CSV table of all heavy atoms in Angstrom, one decimal:
chain,number,residue,atom,x,y,z
F,1,MET,N,151.3,113.3,147.1
F,1,MET,CA,149.9,112.9,147.4
F,1,MET,C,149.6,111.5,147.0
F,1,MET,O,150.3,111.0,146.1
F,1,MET,CB,149.0,114.0,146.8
F,1,MET,CG,148.7,113.7,145.3
F,1,MET,SD,147.3,114.7,144.7
F,1,MET,CE,148.2,115.8,143.7
F,2,PHE,N,148.6,111.0,147.5
F,2,PHE,CA,148.1,109.6,147.2
F,2,PHE,C,147.1,109.7,146.1
F,2,PHE,O,146.2,110.6,146.1
F,2,PHE,CB,147.6,108.9,148.4
F,2,PHE,CG,148.6,108.5,149.4
F,2,PHE,CD1,148.7,109.1,150.6
F,2,PHE,CD2,149.5,107.5,149.1
F,2,PHE,CE1,149.6,108.7,151.5
F,2,PHE,CE2,150.5,107.1,150.0
F,2,PHE,CZ,150.5,107.8,151.2
F,3,VAL,N,147.1,108.8,145.1
F,3,VAL,CA,146.1,108.7,144.1
F,3,VAL,C,145.7,107.2,144.0
F,3,VAL,O,146.5,106.3,144.3
F,3,VAL,CB,146.5,109.3,142.7
F,3,VAL,CG1,146.8,110.8,142.8
F,3,VAL,CG2,147.8,108.5,142.2
F,4,TYR,N,144.5,107.0,143.4
F,4,TYR,CA,144.1,105.6,143.2
F,4,TYR,C,144.7,105.1,141.9
F,4,TYR,O,144.8,105.8,140.9
F,4,TYR,CB,142.5,105.6,143.1
F,4,TYR,CG,141.8,105.9,144.4
F,4,TYR,CD1,141.1,107.1,144.5
F,4,TYR,CD2,141.9,105.1,145.5
F,4,TYR,CE1,140.5,107.5,145.7
F,4,TYR,CE2,141.3,105.4,146.7
F,4,TYR,CZ,140.6,106.6,146.8
F,4,TYR,OH,140.0,106.9,147.9
F,5,LYS,N,145.0,103.8,141.9
F,5,LYS,CA,145.6,103.2,140.7
F,5,LYS,C,144.5,102.8,139.7
F,5,LYS,O,144.8,102.5,138.6
F,5,LYS,CB,146.4,101.9,141.1
F,5,LYS,CG,147.6,102.2,141.9
F,5,LYS,CD,148.4,100.9,142.2
F,5,LYS,CE,149.7,101.2,142.9
F,5,LYS,NZ,150.4,100.0,143.1
F,6,PHE,N,143.2,102.7,140.2
F,6,PHE,CA,142.1,102.3,139.3
F,6,PHE,C,140.8,102.9,139.9
F,6,PHE,O,140.8,103.5,141.0
F,6,PHE,CB,142.0,100.8,139.2
F,6,PHE,CG,142.0,100.1,140.5
F,6,PHE,CD1,140.8,100.0,141.2
F,6,PHE,CD2,143.1,99.6,141.1
F,6,PHE,CE1,140.8,99.3,142.5
F,6,PHE,CE2,143.1,99.0,142.3
F,6,PHE,CZ,141.9,98.8,143.0
F,7,ASP,N,139.7,102.8,139.2
F,7,ASP,CA,138.4,103.3,139.6
F,7,ASP,C,137.9,102.3,140.7
F,7,ASP,O,137.5,101.2,140.4
F,7,ASP,CB,137.5,103.4,138.5
F,7,ASP,CG,136.1,104.0,138.9
F,7,ASP,OD1,135.7,103.9,140.0
F,7,ASP,OD2,135.5,104.5,138.0
F,8,VAL,N,138.0,102.7,142.0
F,8,VAL,CA,137.7,101.9,143.1
F,8,VAL,C,136.2,101.5,143.1
F,8,VAL,O,135.8,100.3,143.2
F,8,VAL,CB,138.1,102.5,144.4
F,8,VAL,CG1,137.6,101.6,145.6
F,8,VAL,CG2,139.6,102.8,144.5
F,9,LEU,N,135.3,102.5,142.8
F,9,LEU,CA,133.9,102.1,142.8
F,9,LEU,C,133.5,101.2,141.7
F,9,LEU,O,132.7,100.2,141.9
F,9,LEU,CB,133.0,103.4,142.6
F,9,LEU,CG,132.7,104.2,143.9
F,9,LEU,CD1,131.9,105.5,143.6
F,9,LEU,CD2,132.1,103.4,145.0
F,10,GLU,N,134.1,101.3,140.6
F,10,GLU,CA,133.9,100.4,139.4
F,10,GLU,C,134.4,99.0,139.8
F,10,GLU,O,133.7,98.0,139.5
F,10,GLU,CB,134.6,100.9,138.2
F,10,GLU,CG,134.3,100.1,136.9
F,10,GLU,CD,132.8,100.1,136.6
F,10,GLU,OE1,132.1,101.1,136.8
F,10,GLU,OE2,132.3,99.0,136.1
F,11,THR,N,135.5,98.9,140.4
F,11,THR,CA,136.1,97.6,140.8
F,11,THR,C,135.2,96.9,141.9
F,11,THR,O,135.0,95.7,141.9
F,11,THR,CB,137.5,97.7,141.3
F,11,THR,OG1,138.3,98.4,140.3
F,11,THR,CG2,138.1,96.4,141.7
F,12,LEU,N,134.7,97.7,142.8
F,12,LEU,CA,133.8,97.2,143.8
F,12,LEU,C,132.5,96.7,143.2
F,12,LEU,O,132.0,95.6,143.5
F,12,LEU,CB,133.4,98.3,144.9
F,12,LEU,CG,134.5,98.6,145.9
F,12,LEU,CD1,134.2,99.9,146.6
F,12,LEU,CD2,134.7,97.5,146.9
F,13,LYS,N,132.0,97.5,142.2
F,13,LYS,CA,130.8,97.1,141.5
F,13,LYS,C,131.0,95.7,140.7
F,13,LYS,O,130.2,94.9,140.8
F,13,LYS,CB,130.4,98.2,140.5
F,13,LYS,CG,129.1,97.9,139.8
F,13,LYS,CD,128.8,99.1,138.9
F,13,LYS,CE,127.4,98.9,138.2
F,13,LYS,NZ,127.1,100.0,137.3
F,14,GLU,N,132.2,95.6,140.1
F,14,GLU,CA,132.5,94.3,139.4
F,14,GLU,C,132.6,93.2,140.4
F,14,GLU,O,132.4,92.0,140.0
F,14,GLU,CB,133.8,94.5,138.7
F,14,GLU,CG,133.8,95.4,137.5
F,14,GLU,CD,135.1,95.8,136.9
F,14,GLU,OE1,136.1,95.3,137.4
F,14,GLU,OE2,135.1,96.6,136.0
F,15,SER,N,132.9,93.5,141.7
F,15,SER,CA,133.0,92.4,142.7
F,15,SER,C,131.6,92.2,143.4
F,15,SER,O,131.5,91.4,144.3
F,15,SER,CB,134.0,92.8,143.7
F,15,SER,OG,135.3,92.9,143.1
F,16,GLY,N,130.6,92.9,142.9
F,16,GLY,CA,129.2,92.7,143.4
F,16,GLY,C,128.8,93.6,144.5
F,16,GLY,O,127.8,93.4,145.2
F,17,TYR,N,129.6,94.7,144.7
F,17,TYR,CA,129.3,95.7,145.7
F,17,TYR,C,129.0,97.0,145.1
F,17,TYR,O,129.9,97.9,145.0
F,17,TYR,CB,130.5,95.8,146.7
F,17,TYR,CG,130.8,94.6,147.5
F,17,TYR,CD1,131.6,93.6,147.0
F,17,TYR,CD2,130.2,94.5,148.8
F,17,TYR,CE1,131.8,92.4,147.8
F,17,TYR,CE2,130.4,93.3,149.5
F,17,TYR,CZ,131.2,92.3,149.1
F,17,TYR,OH,131.4,91.2,149.8
F,18,ASN,N,127.7,97.2,144.7
F,18,ASN,CA,127.3,98.5,144.2
F,18,ASN,C,127.1,99.5,145.4
F,18,ASN,O,127.2,99.0,146.6
F,18,ASN,CB,126.1,98.4,143.3
F,18,ASN,CG,124.9,97.9,144.1
F,18,ASN,OD1,124.8,98.0,145.3
F,18,ASN,ND2,123.9,97.4,143.4
F,19,THR,N,126.9,100.7,145.2
F,19,THR,CA,126.8,101.7,146.3
F,19,THR,C,125.6,101.4,147.2
F,19,THR,O,125.7,101.6,148.4
F,19,THR,CB,126.7,103.1,145.7
F,19,THR,OG1,125.6,103.2,144.8
F,19,THR,CG2,128.0,103.5,145.1
F,20,GLY,N,124.5,100.9,146.6
F,20,GLY,CA,123.4,100.5,147.4
F,20,GLY,C,123.7,99.4,148.4
F,20,GLY,O,123.4,99.5,149.6
F,21,ARG,N,124.4,98.4,148.0
F,21,ARG,CA,124.8,97.3,148.9
F,21,ARG,C,125.8,97.8,149.9
F,21,ARG,O,125.8,97.5,151.1
F,21,ARG,CB,125.4,96.2,148.1
F,21,ARG,CG,125.9,95.0,148.9
F,21,ARG,CD,126.4,93.9,148.1
F,21,ARG,NE,126.8,92.8,149.0
F,21,ARG,CZ,127.4,91.7,148.6
F,21,ARG,NH1,127.7,91.5,147.3
F,21,ARG,NH2,127.8,90.8,149.5
F,22,LEU,N,126.8,98.7,149.5
F,22,LEU,CA,127.8,99.2,150.5
F,22,LEU,C,127.1,100.0,151.6
F,22,LEU,O,127.5,99.9,152.7
F,22,LEU,CB,128.7,100.1,149.7
F,22,LEU,CG,129.7,99.5,148.7
F,22,LEU,CD1,130.4,100.5,147.9
F,22,LEU,CD2,130.7,98.5,149.5
F,23,ARG,N,126.0,100.8,151.2
F,23,ARG,CA,125.3,101.5,152.2
F,23,ARG,C,124.4,100.6,153.1
F,23,ARG,O,124.4,100.7,154.3
F,23,ARG,CB,124.3,102.5,151.5
F,23,ARG,CG,125.0,103.7,151.0
F,23,ARG,CD,124.0,104.7,150.4
F,23,ARG,NE,124.6,105.8,149.7
F,23,ARG,CZ,124.7,105.8,148.3
F,23,ARG,NH1,124.2,104.8,147.6
F,23,ARG,NH2,125.3,106.8,147.8
F,24,LYS,N,123.7,99.7,152.4
F,24,LYS,CA,122.8,98.8,153.2
F,24,LYS,C,123.5,97.9,154.2
F,24,LYS,O,123.0,97.8,155.3
F,24,LYS,CB,122.0,97.9,152.2
F,24,LYS,CG,121.0,97.0,152.8
F,24,LYS,CD,120.2,96.2,151.7
F,24,LYS,CE,119.2,95.3,152.4
F,24,LYS,NZ,118.5,94.5,151.4
F,25,GLU,N,124.6,97.4,153.8
F,25,GLU,CA,125.4,96.5,154.7
F,25,GLU,C,126.3,97.3,155.6
F,25,GLU,O,127.1,96.7,156.3
F,25,GLU,CB,126.1,95.5,153.9
F,25,GLU,CG,125.2,94.5,153.1
F,25,GLU,CD,125.9,93.5,152.3
F,25,GLU,OE1,127.1,93.2,152.6
F,25,GLU,OE2,125.3,92.9,151.5
F,26,LYS,N,126.3,98.7,155.5
F,26,LYS,CA,127.1,99.6,156.3
F,26,LYS,C,128.6,99.2,156.1
F,26,LYS,O,129.3,99.3,157.1
F,26,LYS,CB,126.7,99.5,157.7
F,26,LYS,CG,125.3,100.1,157.9
F,26,LYS,CD,124.9,100.1,159.4
F,26,LYS,CE,123.7,100.9,159.6
F,26,LYS,NZ,122.4,100.4,159.4
F,27,LEU,N,129.0,98.9,154.9
F,27,LEU,CA,130.4,98.6,154.7
F,27,LEU,C,131.2,99.9,154.5
F,27,LEU,O,132.4,100.0,155.0
F,27,LEU,CB,130.5,97.7,153.4
F,27,LEU,CG,129.9,96.4,153.5
F,27,LEU,CD1,129.8,95.7,152.2
F,27,LEU,CD2,130.6,95.5,154.6
F,28,LEU,N,130.6,100.9,153.8
F,28,LEU,CA,131.2,102.2,153.7
F,28,LEU,C,130.2,103.3,154.0
F,28,LEU,O,129.0,103.1,153.6
F,28,LEU,CB,131.8,102.4,152.2
F,28,LEU,CG,133.0,101.6,151.8
F,28,LEU,CD1,133.3,101.9,150.4
F,28,LEU,CD2,134.2,101.8,152.7
F,29,GLY,N,130.6,104.4,154.6
F,29,GLY,CA,129.7,105.5,154.9
F,29,GLY,C,129.5,106.3,153.6
F,29,GLY,O,130.2,106.2,152.6
F,30,GLU,N,128.5,107.2,153.7
F,30,GLU,CA,128.2,108.1,152.6
F,30,GLU,C,129.4,109.0,152.3
F,30,GLU,O,129.6,109.2,151.1
F,30,GLU,CB,127.0,108.9,153.0
F,30,GLU,CG,126.4,109.8,151.8
F,30,GLU,CD,125.9,108.9,150.7
F,30,GLU,OE1,125.4,107.8,150.9
F,30,GLU,OE2,126.1,109.4,149.5
F,31,ASN,N,130.1,109.5,153.3
F,31,ASN,CA,131.2,110.3,153.0
F,31,ASN,C,132.3,109.6,152.2
F,31,ASN,O,132.9,110.2,151.2
F,31,ASN,CB,131.9,110.9,154.3
F,31,ASN,CG,131.0,111.9,154.9
F,31,ASN,OD1,130.1,112.5,154.3
F,31,ASN,ND2,131.3,112.2,156.2
F,32,ALA,N,132.6,108.3,152.5
F,32,ALA,CA,133.6,107.6,151.8
F,32,ALA,C,133.1,107.3,150.3
F,32,ALA,O,133.9,107.4,149.4
F,32,ALA,CB,133.8,106.2,152.5
F,33,ILE,N,131.8,107.0,150.2
F,33,ILE,CA,131.3,106.8,148.8
F,33,ILE,C,131.4,108.0,148.0
F,33,ILE,O,131.8,108.0,146.8
F,33,ILE,CB,129.8,106.2,148.9
F,33,ILE,CG1,129.8,104.8,149.5
F,33,ILE,CG2,129.2,106.2,147.5
F,33,ILE,CD1,128.4,104.3,149.9
F,34,GLN,N,131.0,109.2,148.5
F,34,GLN,CA,131.1,110.4,147.8
F,34,GLN,C,132.6,110.8,147.5
F,34,GLN,O,132.9,111.3,146.4
F,34,GLN,CB,130.5,111.6,148.6
F,34,GLN,CG,128.9,111.4,148.7
F,34,GLN,CD,128.3,111.3,147.4
F,34,GLN,OE1,128.6,111.9,146.4
F,34,GLN,NE2,127.3,110.4,147.3
F,35,SER,N,133.5,110.5,148.4
F,35,SER,CA,134.9,110.8,148.1
F,35,SER,C,135.4,109.9,147.0
F,35,SER,O,136.1,110.4,146.1
F,35,SER,CB,135.7,110.5,149.4
F,35,SER,OG,135.5,111.4,150.4
F,36,LEU,N,135.0,108.6,146.9
F,36,LEU,CA,135.4,107.8,145.8
F,36,LEU,C,134.8,108.3,144.5
F,36,LEU,O,135.5,108.2,143.5
F,36,LEU,CB,134.9,106.3,146.1
F,36,LEU,CG,135.6,105.6,147.2
F,36,LEU,CD1,134.9,104.3,147.6
F,36,LEU,CD2,137.1,105.4,146.9
F,37,ARG,N,133.6,108.8,144.5
F,37,ARG,CA,133.0,109.3,143.3
F,37,ARG,C,133.8,110.5,142.8
F,37,ARG,O,133.9,110.7,141.6
F,37,ARG,CB,131.6,109.7,143.6
F,37,ARG,CG,130.6,108.6,143.6
F,37,ARG,CD,129.2,109.1,143.4
F,37,ARG,NE,128.3,108.0,143.3
F,37,ARG,CZ,127.2,107.7,144.1
F,37,ARG,NH1,126.9,108.6,145.0
F,37,ARG,NH2,126.5,106.7,143.9
F,38,LYS,N,134.3,111.3,143.7
F,38,LYS,CA,135.1,112.5,143.3
F,38,LYS,C,136.6,112.2,143.1
F,38,LYS,O,137.4,113.1,142.9
F,38,LYS,CB,134.9,113.6,144.4
F,38,LYS,CG,133.5,114.0,144.6
F,38,LYS,CD,133.5,115.0,145.7
F,38,LYS,CE,132.1,115.4,146.1
F,38,LYS,NZ,132.0,116.2,147.3
F,39,ASN,N,136.9,110.9,143.2
F,39,ASN,CA,138.3,110.5,143.1
F,39,ASN,C,139.2,111.1,144.2
F,39,ASN,O,140.4,111.3,144.0
F,39,ASN,CB,138.9,110.7,141.7
F,39,ASN,CG,139.9,109.7,141.3
F,39,ASN,OD1,139.9,108.6,141.8
F,39,ASN,ND2,140.9,110.2,140.5
F,40,GLU,N,138.6,111.3,145.4
F,40,GLU,CA,139.3,111.9,146.5
F,40,GLU,C,139.7,110.7,147.5
F,40,GLU,O,139.0,109.7,147.5
F,40,GLU,CB,138.5,112.9,147.2
F,40,GLU,CG,138.2,114.1,146.4
F,40,GLU,CD,137.2,115.1,147.1
F,40,GLU,OE1,136.6,114.7,148.1
F,40,GLU,OE2,136.9,116.2,146.6
F,41,MET,N,140.7,110.9,148.2
F,41,MET,CA,141.1,109.9,149.2
F,41,MET,C,140.1,109.7,150.3
F,41,MET,O,139.5,110.6,150.8
F,41,MET,CB,142.5,110.2,149.8
F,41,MET,CG,143.6,109.9,148.9
F,41,MET,SD,143.8,108.1,148.6
F,41,MET,CE,143.7,108.1,146.9
F,42,VAL,N,139.9,108.4,150.6
F,42,VAL,CA,139.0,108.1,151.8
F,42,VAL,C,139.9,108.0,153.0
F,42,VAL,O,141.2,107.9,152.9
F,42,VAL,CB,138.3,106.8,151.6
F,42,VAL,CG1,137.3,106.9,150.4
F,42,VAL,CG2,139.2,105.6,151.3
F,43,GLY,N,139.3,107.9,154.2
F,43,GLY,CA,140.1,107.7,155.4
F,43,GLY,C,140.7,106.3,155.5
F,43,GLY,O,140.3,105.4,154.8
F,44,ILE,N,141.5,106.1,156.5
F,44,ILE,CA,142.2,104.9,156.7
F,44,ILE,C,141.2,103.7,157.0
F,44,ILE,O,141.4,102.6,156.6
F,44,ILE,CB,143.3,105.0,157.8
F,44,ILE,CG1,144.2,103.8,157.7
F,44,ILE,CG2,142.7,105.2,159.1
F,44,ILE,CD1,145.2,103.8,156.6
F,45,ILE,N,140.2,104.0,157.8
F,45,ILE,CA,139.2,102.9,158.1
F,45,ILE,C,138.5,102.5,156.9
F,45,ILE,O,138.3,101.3,156.6
F,45,ILE,CB,138.3,103.4,159.2
F,45,ILE,CG1,139.1,103.6,160.5
F,45,ILE,CG2,137.1,102.4,159.4
F,45,ILE,CD1,138.3,104.2,161.6
F,46,ALA,N,138.0,103.4,156.0
F,46,ALA,CA,137.4,103.1,154.8
F,46,ALA,C,138.3,102.3,153.9
F,46,ALA,O,137.9,101.3,153.2
F,46,ALA,CB,136.8,104.3,154.1
F,47,LEU,N,139.6,102.8,153.8
F,47,LEU,CA,140.6,102.1,153.0
F,47,LEU,C,140.8,100.6,153.5
F,47,LEU,O,140.8,99.7,152.6
F,47,LEU,CB,141.9,102.8,153.0
F,47,LEU,CG,143.0,102.2,152.1
F,47,LEU,CD1,142.6,102.1,150.7
F,47,LEU,CD2,144.3,103.0,152.3
F,48,GLU,N,140.8,100.5,154.8
F,48,GLU,CA,140.9,99.1,155.3
F,48,GLU,C,139.7,98.2,154.9
F,48,GLU,O,139.9,97.1,154.5
F,48,GLU,CB,141.0,99.2,156.8
F,48,GLU,CG,141.2,97.9,157.5
F,48,GLU,CD,141.3,98.0,159.1
F,48,GLU,OE1,141.5,99.2,159.5
F,48,GLU,OE2,141.2,97.0,159.7
F,49,LYS,N,138.5,98.8,154.9
F,49,LYS,CA,137.3,98.0,154.5
F,49,LYS,C,137.4,97.7,153.0
F,49,LYS,O,137.0,96.6,152.6
F,49,LYS,CB,136.1,98.8,154.8
F,49,LYS,CG,135.8,98.9,156.3
F,49,LYS,CD,134.6,99.7,156.6
F,49,LYS,CE,134.3,99.8,158.1
F,49,LYS,NZ,133.2,100.6,158.5
F,50,ILE,N,137.8,98.6,152.2
F,50,ILE,CA,138.0,98.4,150.8
F,50,ILE,C,139.0,97.3,150.5
F,50,ILE,O,138.7,96.4,149.7
F,50,ILE,CB,138.4,99.7,150.0
F,50,ILE,CG1,137.2,100.7,150.1
F,50,ILE,CG2,138.8,99.4,148.6
F,50,ILE,CD1,137.6,102.1,149.7
F,51,CYS,N,140.1,97.3,151.3
F,51,CYS,CA,141.1,96.2,151.1
F,51,CYS,C,140.5,94.9,151.5
F,51,CYS,O,140.8,93.9,150.8
F,51,CYS,CB,142.3,96.5,152.0
F,51,CYS,SG,143.3,97.9,151.5
F,52,ALA,N,139.7,94.8,152.5
F,52,ALA,CA,139.1,93.6,152.9
F,52,ALA,C,138.1,93.1,151.9
F,52,ALA,O,138.1,91.9,151.5
F,52,ALA,CB,138.4,93.7,154.3
F,53,ILE,N,137.3,94.0,151.4
F,53,ILE,CA,136.3,93.6,150.4
F,53,ILE,C,136.9,93.1,149.1
F,53,ILE,O,136.6,92.0,148.5
F,53,ILE,CB,135.3,94.8,150.0
F,53,ILE,CG1,134.5,95.1,151.2
F,53,ILE,CG2,134.5,94.5,148.8
F,53,ILE,CD1,133.8,96.5,151.1
F,54,LEU,N,138.0,93.8,148.6
F,54,LEU,CA,138.6,93.4,147.4
F,54,LEU,C,139.8,92.4,147.6
F,54,LEU,O,140.4,92.0,146.6
F,54,LEU,CB,139.2,94.7,146.7
F,54,LEU,CG,138.1,95.7,146.3
F,54,LEU,CD1,138.8,97.0,145.7
F,54,LEU,CD2,137.1,95.1,145.3
F,55,ASP,N,140.1,92.1,148.8
F,55,ASP,CA,141.2,91.2,149.1
F,55,ASP,C,142.5,91.7,148.5
F,55,ASP,O,143.2,91.0,147.7
F,55,ASP,CB,140.9,89.8,148.7
F,55,ASP,CG,141.9,88.7,149.2
F,55,ASP,OD1,142.4,89.0,150.3
F,55,ASP,OD2,142.1,87.7,148.5
F,56,MET,N,142.8,93.0,148.8
F,56,MET,CA,144.0,93.6,148.3
F,56,MET,C,144.7,94.3,149.4
F,56,MET,O,144.2,94.6,150.4
F,56,MET,CB,143.6,94.7,147.2
F,56,MET,CG,143.0,94.1,145.9
F,56,MET,SD,142.8,95.5,144.8
F,56,MET,CE,142.2,94.7,143.4
F,57,GLN,N,146.0,94.6,149.1
F,57,GLN,CA,146.8,95.4,150.0
F,57,GLN,C,146.6,96.9,149.6
F,57,GLN,O,146.3,97.2,148.5
F,57,GLN,CB,148.3,95.0,149.9
F,57,GLN,CG,148.5,93.6,150.4
F,57,GLN,CD,148.3,93.4,151.9
F,57,GLN,OE1,148.7,94.3,152.7
F,57,GLN,NE2,147.6,92.4,152.2
F,58,PRO,N,146.8,97.8,150.6
F,58,PRO,CA,146.7,99.2,150.3
F,58,PRO,C,147.5,99.7,149.0
F,58,PRO,O,147.1,100.4,148.2
F,58,PRO,CB,147.1,100.0,151.5
F,58,PRO,CG,146.9,99.0,152.6
F,58,PRO,CD,147.1,97.6,152.0
F,59,GLY,N,148.7,99.1,148.9
F,59,GLY,CA,149.6,99.4,147.8
F,59,GLY,C,149.1,99.0,146.5
F,59,GLY,O,149.5,99.4,145.4
F,60,ASN,N,148.1,98.0,146.5
F,60,ASN,CA,147.5,97.6,145.2
F,60,ASN,C,146.4,98.6,144.8
F,60,ASN,O,146.0,98.6,143.6
F,60,ASN,CB,146.8,96.3,145.4
F,60,ASN,CG,147.8,95.2,145.7
F,60,ASN,OD1,147.7,94.5,146.7
F,60,ASN,ND2,148.7,95.0,144.8
F,61,ILE,N,145.9,99.5,145.7
F,61,ILE,CA,144.8,100.4,145.5
F,61,ILE,C,145.3,101.8,145.3
F,61,ILE,O,144.8,102.5,144.4
F,61,ILE,CB,143.8,100.3,146.6
F,61,ILE,CG1,143.3,98.9,146.7
F,61,ILE,CG2,142.7,101.3,146.5
F,61,ILE,CD1,142.4,98.6,147.9
F,62,ILE,N,146.3,102.3,146.1
F,62,ILE,CA,146.7,103.6,146.0
F,62,ILE,C,148.2,103.7,145.8
F,62,ILE,O,149.0,102.7,146.0
F,62,ILE,CB,146.4,104.4,147.3
F,62,ILE,CG1,147.1,103.7,148.5
F,62,ILE,CG2,144.9,104.6,147.5
F,62,ILE,CD1,147.0,104.5,149.8
F,63,LYS,N,148.7,104.8,145.3
F,63,LYS,CA,150.1,105.0,145.1
F,63,LYS,C,150.4,106.5,145.4
F,63,LYS,O,149.6,107.3,145.4
F,63,LYS,CB,150.6,104.7,143.6
F,63,LYS,CG,150.0,105.6,142.6
F,63,LYS,CD,150.5,105.3,141.2
F,63,LYS,CE,149.9,106.2,140.2
F,63,LYS,NZ,150.3,105.9,138.8
F,64,TYR,N,151.7,106.7,145.7
F,64,TYR,CA,152.1,108.1,146.0
F,64,TYR,C,152.7,108.7,144.7
F,64,TYR,O,153.5,108.1,144.0
F,64,TYR,CB,153.2,108.1,147.0
F,64,TYR,CG,153.8,109.4,147.3
F,64,TYR,CD1,153.1,110.4,148.0
F,64,TYR,CD2,155.0,109.8,146.7
F,64,TYR,CE1,153.6,111.6,148.2
F,64,TYR,CE2,155.5,111.1,146.8
F,64,TYR,CZ,154.8,112.0,147.6
F,64,TYR,OH,155.3,113.3,147.8
F,65,VAL,N,152.3,109.9,144.4
F,65,VAL,CA,152.8,110.7,143.3
F,65,VAL,C,153.2,112.1,143.9
F,65,VAL,O,152.6,112.6,144.7
F,65,VAL,CB,151.9,110.9,142.1
F,65,VAL,CG1,151.6,109.5,141.4
F,65,VAL,CG2,150.6,111.5,142.5
F,66,ASP,N,154.4,112.5,143.4
F,66,ASP,CA,154.8,113.9,143.8
F,66,ASP,C,153.9,114.9,143.3
F,66,ASP,O,153.4,114.8,142.2
F,66,ASP,CB,156.2,114.1,143.3
F,66,ASP,CG,157.0,115.2,144.0
F,66,ASP,OD1,156.3,116.0,144.6
F,66,ASP,OD2,158.2,115.3,143.8
F,67,ASP,N,153.5,115.9,144.1
F,67,ASP,CA,152.6,117.0,143.7
F,67,ASP,C,153.1,117.7,142.5
F,67,ASP,O,152.2,118.1,141.7
F,67,ASP,CB,152.5,118.0,144.9
F,67,ASP,CG,151.7,117.5,146.0
F,67,ASP,OD1,151.1,116.4,145.9
F,67,ASP,OD2,151.7,118.1,147.1
F,68,LYS,N,154.4,117.7,142.2
F,68,LYS,CA,154.9,118.4,141.0
F,68,LYS,C,154.5,117.6,139.7
F,68,LYS,O,154.5,118.2,138.7
F,68,LYS,CB,156.4,118.5,141.1
F,68,LYS,CG,156.9,119.4,142.2
F,68,LYS,CD,158.4,119.4,142.2
F,68,LYS,CE,158.8,118.2,143.0
F,68,LYS,NZ,160.3,118.2,143.2
F,69,ASP,N,154.2,116.3,139.9
F,69,ASP,CA,153.9,115.4,138.7
F,69,ASP,C,152.5,115.5,138.3
F,69,ASP,O,152.1,114.9,137.3
F,69,ASP,CB,154.3,114.0,139.0
F,69,ASP,CG,155.8,113.8,139.2
F,69,ASP,OD1,156.6,114.7,138.8
F,69,ASP,OD2,156.2,112.8,139.9
F,70,VAL,N,151.6,116.1,139.1
F,70,VAL,CA,150.2,116.1,138.8
F,70,VAL,C,149.8,117.3,138.0
F,70,VAL,O,150.3,118.4,138.0
F,70,VAL,CB,149.4,116.1,140.1
F,70,VAL,CG1,147.9,116.1,139.9
F,70,VAL,CG2,149.7,114.9,140.9
């Protein structure tokens, strides 16, 4: 399964993108924001937007871990 390497919402906040701004500018939908709060994976489109905002590659944000290791 995929897991985040860091707290994505916190990193977005440090970059000037709090949840209010993400909603207002329609950068991420409510479902994506709630998934990030629960540390659940977002969809590929939301991940693409996060990569663009943070200027990172997907591999910098998520990693694969074997289900047995969790």
